[in-house]
Amino acid sequence: MSDPFVVVGADAAGLSAASKFRREAPDREVVVFEKGRWISYAYCGMPYFVAGYVDRMSDLLSLSPSEVDERGIDLRRDREVVAVEPDAKRVTVETADGDRFEQAYDDLLVATGARATTGPFDVRGVDGAFTLHDMDAAAAIDAYVAEPDAYDPDRADVSAVDRERVDRNAAMRAPETAAVVGGGYVGVEVAEALAERGLDVHVFHRSGHLLSPFGETVGNRVEEALEAEGVSVHTDAPVDALVGDDRIGAVEIGDEGDPETVPVDMAVVGVGIRPNTDLLDGTGVDLGAGGAIRVDDRGRTSLPDVYAAGDCATARHAVTGEPDWTPLGLTANRAGRAIGATVAGDPTPVGDIAGTAAVKAFDTEAARVGVLDRGKAEEAGFDPVSETVTAGSRSGYYPGAAETDVTLVADRDTGRLLGGSIVGTDRAAIRIDTLATAIESEMTVPEIERLDLAYAPPFSPVWDPILVAAKVLNGTLDG
Ligand SMILES: Cc1cc2nc3c(=O)[nH]c(=O)nc-3n(C[C@H](O)[C@H](O)[C@H](O)COP(=O)(O)OP(=O)(O)OC[C@H]3O[C@@H](n4cnc5c(N)ncnc54)[C@H](O)[C@@H]3O)c2cc1C
């Protein structure tokens, strides 16, 4: 009998792979090791849980352990894979009690995700200081921001939750002021969430505008949207230190010699993440962008019969053609599913990525795709030209029409679309999918201008904002 398909990590990439493999190869064994208790959860929903838009933590779960079991997947929780021996084709697994055992594999998928980095800050052991990169943190933040007598323990209604941590945070006096350190998309979502919970929120961002990968137009409008709802946005304001012994009391920004101190009684640090690759230390596996595991178009690593997918792996960028690292949910699910099929005997590409991402700040929606950054475009051999337009989201006379800003970036020589961003208050974000499709198809801006996009007054003006932007950029390309 052959050895099983072994999967490390039981979330988006890992369980997508195991489920697909099980369906395609019902007679073969698949074992999934998960180091924690949580499985099949939606990180993406955590800010909305904290905001109070989602009632119960269980609403953020997709599959329960028993449902995974019913699929015929051998799921083993509290089992951390600590080492891989590619020549012997086996992994070393450590239980929560510290016992170790070995497991042989035919094929191995590393789907270990990423973890939050905290830069110079140590958030451990300081009450009121958090990162938001696991479900227990979401439960703890939710408990911390509630007044002790108003907290509903049923919100953290999942057996896997760290109840002791939740209870401890629920018992503390509720904070009034919060610092969000880092103005990336998670920072923006957390700022909205905490403001919705009644806190006085400050966002501190290292560079000149929020949401750096979305470009300046988007960053500025999102900043305005947050400020309109009472959030204080500090740009060019890297936080130097979190201040407080047992419980956080302030953040320090600015000069080391003469720092500005902003008093806060809560801080959520969202300054970046790092791929979880430790289990492959010493194997000589090739790493790529962002320190993620470098994979080919089938998700294969440089080690024989070892695949990687999701936040721990690279993916080919649709514009540059190079391995890139943009850790997002669809990428993980899609690559996992493809690898499940490949290992089962149906070779399937994991697909390219275009860095398509969307975020909202209250009523303002923002999205981006492709390569917006001039330097990155030039590095990839393009000569980027860009235009930004402001256009109506619906016919001007139709209720609800709102100004939508569209930025398009194209290559001067070929006219090929390289990237785009959209921001506005009327269904702006989902329009990015038109641009994502255009980028995947390597369309030129003249081709985009000729697209037959839907027109009816409630949905779009005759000239959709994307068509307006393409028209203007074409003029520049022709000029
Ligand atoms: C706050 C927040 C909001 C987000 N919002 C969005 C969004 O709106 N849109 C979007 O596209 N993406 C979003 N993301 C990103 C998205 O959640 C991730 O891209 C996705 O979860 C990646 O899935 P994954 O399976 O690769 O990794 P994970 O979901 O991180 O799962 C990896 C699993 O592997 C386990 N593991 C790690 N090491 C080991 C080991 N050695 N042995 C055994 N098990 C191990 C971990 O415990 C974990 O359960 C968000 C993320 C966060 C934190």
Side-chain angles (χ1 to χ4, degrees):
M1 211 177 110
S2 64
D3 289 316
F5 173 32
V6 169
V7 174
V8 192
D11 191 33
L15 286 181
S16 297
S19 301
K20 181 67 176 168
F21 177 80
R22 208 70 197 88
R23 280 195 300 277
E24 303 274 318
D27 300 331
R28 289 170 62 194
E29 203 189 339
V30 52
V31 178
V32 179
F33 291 112
E34 166 54 52
K35 75 173 180 185
R37 299 294 298 161
W38 292 92
I39 65 152
S40 192
Y41 41 79
Y43 277 165
C44 316
M46 293 191 299
Y48 306 110
F49 173 73
V50 171
Y53 306 159
V54 178
D55 286 339
R56 298 275 181 265
M57 229 161 181
S58 56
D59 295 336
L60 301 183
L61 302 184
S62 178
L63 293 172
S64 67
S66 54
E67 284 167 329
V68 173
D69 219 44
E70 279 158 26
R71 289 187 178 191
I73 296 167
D74 183 356
L75 171 68
R76 314 221 194 133
R77 291 187 292 165
D78 286 329
R79 300 284 180 274
E80 179 172 1
V81 174
V82 291
V84 177
E85 291 170 82
D87 295 334
K89 295 190 75 168
R90 65 178 174 229
V91 295
T92 305
V93 185
E94 188 171 293
T95 68
D97 300 330
D99 296 332
R100 288 191 170 199
F101 63 92
E102 284 172 350
Q103 169 70 55
Y105 62 80
D106 250 7
D107 295 280
L108 175 70
L109 169 61
V110 179
T112 46
R115 61 180 176 279
T117 54
T118 52
F121 317 113
D122 192 0
V123 299
R124 286 166 307 174
V126 182
D127 287 332
F130 303 91
T131 58
L132 181 55
H133 204 269
D134 63 82
M135 300 295 277
D136 283 319
I141 293 172
D142 178 59
Y144 183 77
V145 298
E147 284 296 350
D149 53 358
Y151 178 64
D152 171 9
D154 286 345
R155 275 176 60 73
D157 62 340
V158 179
S159 63
V161 82
D162 182 344
R163 181 60 59 187
E164 203 183 311
R165 186 175 173 199
V166 168
D167 289 347
R168 197 180 132 65
N169 279 283
M172 287 182 221
R173 173 179 48 82
E176 290 175 8
T177 314
V180 175
V181 183
Y185 78 90
V186 172
V188 167
E189 291 173 352
V190 170
E192 174 181 329
L194 297 179
E196 286 285 18
R197 293 289 291 265
L199 275 79
D200 184 5
V201 181
H202 294 262
V203 180
F204 299 95
H205 192 52
R206 168 176 296 279
S207 59
H209 60 83
L210 298 183
L211 294 171
S212 310
F214 289 65
E216 196 171 346
T217 305
V218 170
N220 289 342
R221 270 194 75 174
V222 167
E223 191 176 319
E224 285 164 23
L226 289 172
E227 286 188 327
E229 296 289 337
V231 173
S232 305
V233 179
H234 310 255
T235 50
D236 290 318
V239 170
D240 294 327
L242 306 182
V243 184
D245 295 329
D246 299 333
R247 186 170 178 170
I248 183 151
V251 296
E252 275 180 7
I253 51 173
D255 284 345
E256 235 174 72
D258 182 23
E260 184 188 341
T261 303
V262 181
V264 292
D265 26 34
M266 171 174 193
V268 181
V269 177
V271 294
I273 61 171
R274 179 185 308 151
N276 291 323
T277 59
D278 308 1
L279 73 169
L280 293 174
D281 283 355
T283 60
V285 71
D286 285 352
L287 300 179
I293 305 161
R294 194 180 164 111
V295 296
D296 69 7
D297 63 344
R298 295 271 193 277
R300 289 174 293 216
T301 70
S302 58
L303 305 173
D305 303 317
V306 179
Y307 297 76
D311 283 7
C312 64
T314 63
R316 183 181 175 275
H317 197 287
V319 175
T320 65
E322 294 296 320
D324 204 44
W325 186 56
T326 310
L328 286 170
L330 175 64
T331 312
N333 281 279
R334 202 180 52 172
R337 188 180 149 83
I339 291 165
T342 298
V343 174
D346 175 18
T348 306
V350 292
D352 287 352
I353 55 165
T356 317
V359 60
K360 84 177 194 69
F362 299 98
D363 291 339
T364 297
E365 300 179 8
R368 55 96 56 222
V369 65
V371 178
L372 287 165
D373 181 66
R374 164 166 286 279
K376 189 168 177 187
E378 284 172 350
E379 214 175 280
F382 299 108
D383 180 8
V385 188
S386 86
E387 286 291 354
T388 299
V389 302
T390 302
S393 60
R394 315 179 188 204
S395 298
Y397 52 82
Y398 196 89
E403 284 188 348
T404 305
D405 294 329
V406 179
T407 297
L408 295 183
V409 181
D411 177 41
R412 187 182 295 279
D413 293 342
T414 59
R416 178 180 166 191
L417 182 71
L418 303 178
S421 71
I422 305 183
V423 59
T425 52
D426 183 28
R427 299 158 302 126
I430 202 68
R431 286 192 144 102
I432 204 72
D433 286 345
T434 304
L435 297 181
T437 308
I439 281 187
E440 284 272 347
S441 318
E442 298 190 19
M443 288 176 76
T444 63
V445 180
E447 286 169 337
I448 293 167
E449 190 185 337
R450 290 193 295 273
L451 280 174
D452 182 17
L453 300 187
Y455 158 57
F459 309 113
S460 169
V462 179
W463 294 95
D464 183 280
I466 286 175
L467 299 180
V468 178
K471 243 193 308 182
V472 172
L473 183 52
N474 267 333
T476 308
L477 287 168
D478 288 345

